[in-house]
Amino acid sequence: MQIRQILKNPELFCEKNFVNGQFFTKSHKIIVQNPATQEAIGEVPNCGSEEVKSAIEAAQVALNSWKNFSGKERSKILRRWHDLILENLEDLAKILTAEQGKPLLEARGEIAYGASFVEWFSEEAKRSYGDTIPAPKQNQKIITFLEPIGVVAAITPWNFPSAMITRKAAAAMAAGCSVILKPSELTPFSAIALAYLAKSAGIPDGVFNVITGDAEVIGSEFCQNKIIRKISFTGSTKIGKILNSRCANDLKRISLELGGSAPFIVFADADLQKAISGLMHAKFRNGGQACTCVNRIFVEEKIHDKFVTLLVEEVQKLKLGDGFESLTQIGPMISNAAIDKVEKLVKKSIENGAKCEIGGTKIEQLFFAPTVLTNITPEMEIAQCEIFGAVAAIQKFKTEDEVINLANNTNYGLGSYLYSSDNSRIWRICEALQFGMVAINECSFATEVAPFGGIKDSGFGREGSHLGILEFSQIKTIHISF
Ligand code: ADP
């Protein structure tokens, strides 16, 4: 497929990098594939540390003027970026589906969700308040204000190639920071399209930059370059820990949004239909490839069999296919490594006593059949690692204490889900769950107005909400005598 031919504005599909307001290319390239067809859709520069260094220097120069823009001035420019993203939603969604594989409907949702962060932070740019603190002495005043932390490096993953960018970059730019973004090498075109629109919106040269290339090389330069004052990372716990330790050297601030192992707890008193539809969304959206996707399902023994029957009925209806086909609900997995991992996990679970109720196999290329496994036990590997695929792995429980222990028995601590109609129980469990986010009779955390983030091995820092801008700000305290 020639992507440019299906876009209203073919320039949005750009095979270049963007630094200091200029698009450029390089002879050394990375080829990008459509995971649905495994065809090459285009190529992007494979930049090394030289290009990263010059991007960082450009961002430093840009910072000096951008930080002096008033909040209102920054707000207006970010708002234009938001408006352009929405005006180009259809094209951006097509680029996203072509490089990532998710159904076009989900891609449209992601673009709108990503735009909501730009809108939110365009508003927050005007509300970056400090404090007035009652001073201990007469004739003294103490005030604080927020300053931008400096040049920011953002590293984003392939599972949400657009929204993970805006929720970092819009917050950073609202705070007055300049940004160098390294998107995933698997899905760079959504990032470059956002850069094209950032330029059209009038974001000054050097304030938003996009570099593609070898992750290790770029990541190392980000960590060791003293100009970078903050790294904002979304990706695996393994890489997050490496970046965290490298940032210790010159005490760079870092935010880490890492892996998860979300429990999904259903009590017999829950509205079962609501729980099933919540699970279908929280387990199977993006083909199960999200850090907040349900990873471990705990169903009260009394309703287990009925729940499984209802779930299998729904899973049977899921339509797997190319994201560009209108009926598709689940697209391909991102890579051979990803599908091989899921296939092995399922096989091993069955060998160890799990029962496959539906699915269980790879269909072709990167397509894995939506799967339901029962008889899962906490010792199985599938109950301990992040599945990151369309496999619903179900365990039974009898008591509240038992399920709290099971749910908390993980190093991860990002999202968690609970379905029950008993208010006392809801509050007890909500307090006991060791996760950054708890959804009760709800199946999504996706909103720009609420803080998003985890604890333990799921990282630290919060994105979105009124807190998001603080991740890119530092406090200056002023003491004045008169
Ligand atoms: P996943 O396993 O889901 O792909 P990763 O943590 O490997 O998660 O990737 C998330 C992001 O981190 C991607 O942009 C990837 O290129 C980047 N990345 C991978 N390895 C490194 C590294 N050593 N340093 C910096 N960034 C990295």
Side-chain angles (χ1 to χ4, degrees), residues 182-201:
K182 191 211 82 64
S184 168
E185 54 282 11
L186 301 174
T187 56
F189 291 117
S190 295
I192 302 165
L194 286 172
Y196 176 93
L197 295 177
K199 186 175 169 75
S200 310

Side-chain angles (χ1 to χ4, degrees), residues 156-174:
T156 52
W158 51 264
N159 57 348
F160 292 91
S162 192
M164 295 304 98
I165 294 172
T166 52
R167 87 176 175 187
K168 295 182 190 308
M173 291 192 281

Side-chain angles (χ1 to χ4, degrees), residues 39-60:
E39 282 167 5
I41 56 168
E43 48 189 29
V44 289
N46 189 351
C47 287
S49 52
E50 279 318 301
E51 288 88 0
V52 184
K53 273 186 201 144
S54 46
I56 293 173
E57 279 154 24
Q60 188 182 31

